[in-house]
Amino acid sequence: MRKTYRWTAQVSDGKHHDGEAAGTVKAHSETEARRAIADWVAQNAARKNRTWTATQITLT
């Protein structure tokens, strides 16, 4: 059964701390949730011609 996780993530381009992102995700496990969040951050960055990654993901 899928669970809804609230999350925050530190976002970085590898050189600078670029801020924080937050939201909710539905997933079967914390591992699946973290993978989905990391993918979302990378896709959002690509839409904005950036190279962001999620450097720290916190789930609640």
Side-chain angles (χ1 to χ4, degrees), residues 20-56:
E20 189 173 271
T24 58
V25 63
K26 288 187 178 187
H28 292 283
S29 67
E30 284 191 17
T31 302
E32 182 182 351
R34 290 177 189 280
R35 189 175 314 123
I37 294 162
D39 289 346
W40 179 85
V41 169
Q43 290 171 5
N44 191 41
R47 282 193 296 271
K48 297 177 180 181
N49 293 321
R50 307 285 180 148
T51 56
W52 295 328
T53 57
T55 58
Q56 181 180 357

